[in-house]
């Protein structure tokens, strides 16, 4: 399977750590680059290329560290424990919260993040084990009701066409 078409749940936990790291960091780079760009343009406004690159590193570095920590710790916990269950995700979420607290130099925030991320991780793994959807997803194929902007020859009127042979009320009275 291609590395670019890989998703996180294509292989079971505890296997293919490099592919899982690539997938999660790819997702974080897309989201993090957008968030960091908006922060750089709107808030910090660094002067020069070097300062801008440094600010991107400041903003995106903890994001990469958090996702990589979750993947690595979950992988290690799965292999050490020999089980693929919710506890591994809770351990991964807890360690991610602790690391984030250390990186932002706020120990209490890190502690509460660790508790909440452990609960969220356990709930996510529970949803995967029991086949229900934790995060809502959008359908891959859209079925537009009134057409979309890629098809310029659609009928954009609000009402249906009149039936054949229809005569307006004003014309019928004459």
């Amino acid at each position: 399977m291609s590395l670019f078409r890989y998703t996180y749940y294509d292989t079971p936990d505890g296997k293919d750590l490099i592919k899982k790291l690539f997938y999660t960091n790819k997702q974080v780079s897309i989201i993090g680059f957008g968030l960091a760009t908006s922060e750089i343009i709107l808030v910090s406004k660094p002067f020069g290329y070097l300062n801008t690159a440094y600010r991107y590193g400041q903003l995106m570095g903890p994001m990469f560290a958090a996702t990589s920590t979750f993947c690595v710790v979950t992988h290690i916990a799965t292999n050490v424990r020999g089980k693929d269950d919710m506890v591994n995700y809770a351990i991964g979420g807890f360690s991610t919260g602790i690391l984030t607290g250390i990186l932002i130099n706020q120990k209490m925030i890190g502690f509460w993040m660790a508790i909440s991320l452990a609960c969220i991780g356990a709930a996510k793994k529970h949803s995967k084990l029991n086949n229900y959807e934790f995060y809502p997803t959008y359908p891959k194929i859209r079925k537009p009701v009134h057409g979309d902007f890629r098809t310029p020859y659609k009928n954009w009127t609000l009402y249906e066409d009149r039936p054949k042979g229809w005569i307006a009320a004003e014309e019928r009275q004459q």
Side-chain angles (χ1 to χ4, degrees), residues 68-143:
S68 298
T69 301
F70 178 80
C71 287
V72 169
V73 170
T74 304
H75 177 80
I76 291 171
T78 303
N79 289 333
V80 167
R81 294 183 67 236
K83 296 179 186 176
D84 187 16
D85 58 356
M86 299 182 305
V87 177
N88 299 331
Y89 273 45
I91 294 169
F94 190 83
S95 62
T96 300
I98 293 295
L99 177 81
T100 306
I102 291 170
L103 286 177
I104 64 173
N105 203 13
Q106 297 288 327
K107 307 301 188 271
M108 284 306 293
I109 291 174
F111 173 73
W112 290 112
M113 279 183 70
I115 298 295
S116 61
L117 288 176
C119 295
I120 290 169
K124 175 65 177 167
K125 186 61 177 183
H126 186 268
S127 73
K128 278 296 174 190
L129 291 175
N130 294 321
N131 295 326
Y132 67 88
E133 194 171 333
F134 187 68
Y135 300 117
T137 57
Y138 297 104
K140 293 187 178 189
I141 299 173
R142 289 185 19 206
K143 296 180 181 174

Side-chain angles (χ1 to χ4, degrees), residues 32-96:
F33 186 74
L35 291 173
T37 301
S38 62
E39 195 277 338
I40 285 170
I41 290 172
L42 297 174
V43 179
S44 63
K45 301 176 185 172
F47 183 74
Y49 295 117
L50 199 58
N51 290 334
T52 304
Y54 178 72
R55 188 66 183 150
Y56 271 112
Q58 278 182 328
L59 294 171
M60 292 177 64
M63 294 180 198
F64 286 123
T67 56
S68 298
T69 301
F70 178 80
C71 287
V72 169
V73 170
T74 304
H75 177 80
I76 291 171
T78 303
N79 289 333
V80 167
R81 294 183 67 236
K83 296 179 186 176
D84 187 16
D85 58 356
M86 299 182 305
V87 177
N88 299 331
Y89 273 45
I91 294 169
F94 190 83
S95 62
T96 300

